[in-house]
Amino acid sequence: MRLRQLNGSSSNESLSVKISSNSIIWNSWGFGQTTENFKDAKSGYAFDMNTQFVDLSYTLGRLWTMTLGIGIPSGTGKITTSSNTEYKSSTVSGSGYFAVFGLEIGIFEFLVGHRVNNVEYSKFQSGSTALDTKYKLSGGQTMIGLGLSFSVVK
């Protein structure tokens, strides 16, 4: 059994992306949750998207490991205009894919991975007013982390 935590972040002048992933792996199959917080500002608009992924993965190896997985998104998005009108959406589609490589030393596992998310938010509303736009998030993020590996006695 393995317990894992990975994190990543990147930013520039107006863009900020933070990602955090937790998972449990049993008999090579993994289940987990990843949270991505995306903030951007351009052309008088502020974009704030908080996406959660339910992840399913498969792990190969014992001391040196490779994990491949996919994530299904849900979440909430908010677009704020220059007049401070907030348009919100919880209609999300897309997917996430990831690969994580690990080295087990004792009970610890040192991890490095890369995740690619392709998500689209739609149906933004403020009260009864709808915003006729879709907002796409697409890109990759490097993550590093630490895991614990336990031998389960049968």
Side-chain angles (χ1 to χ4, degrees):
M1 180 171 79
R2 298 174 190 272
L3 301 174
R4 290 177 167 176
Q5 163 73 47
L6 292 109
N7 294 295
S9 65
S10 63
S11 61
N12 63 26
E13 294 173 6
S14 66
L15 175 69
S16 169
V17 180
K18 293 180 182 176
I19 194 164
S20 177
S21 181
N22 298 298
S23 63
I24 183 168
I25 299 169
W26 180 274
N27 289 336
S28 298
W29 288 100
F31 183 74
Q33 181 178 7
T34 298
T35 301
E36 180 183 56
N37 297 317
F38 175 92
K39 296 181 188 305
D40 193 9
K42 58 184 167 186
S43 303
Y45 292 89
F47 304 92
D48 188 356
M49 309 296 161
N50 296 300
T51 311
Q52 292 81 39
F53 294 86
V54 174
D55 295 334
L56 180 64
S57 65
Y58 189 79
T59 300
L60 304 165
R62 289 184 48 102
L63 295 179
W64 289 93
T65 60
M66 178 178 72
T67 302
L68 302 174
I70 185 170
I72 306 300
S74 65
T76 57
K78 180 173 70 171
I79 298 175
T80 306
T81 66
S82 57
S83 61
N84 285 330
T85 304
E86 292 184 352
Y87 293 89
K88 297 180 181 179
S89 171
S90 58
T91 304
V92 186
S93 62
S95 60
Y97 304 94
F98 59 93
V100 177
F101 298 93
L103 171 60
E104 186 178 313
I105 300 175
I107 67 166
F108 296 104
E109 189 177 21
F110 299 93
L111 306 165
V112 63
H114 191 77
R115 183 176 186 106
V116 175
N117 293 331
N118 296 298
V119 176
E120 182 177 271
Y121 283 86
S122 60
K123 299 182 181 175
F124 288 91
Q125 288 192 311
S126 178
S128 61
T129 306
L131 190 62
D132 187 29
T133 190
K134 295 179 180 180
Y135 193 77
K136 283 189 170 189
L137 303 171
S138 181
Q141 181 72 53
T142 300
M143 303 178 296
I144 58 171
L146 188 63
L148 295 174
S149 180
F150 302 97
S151 295
V152 179
V153 178
K154 294 182 180 180

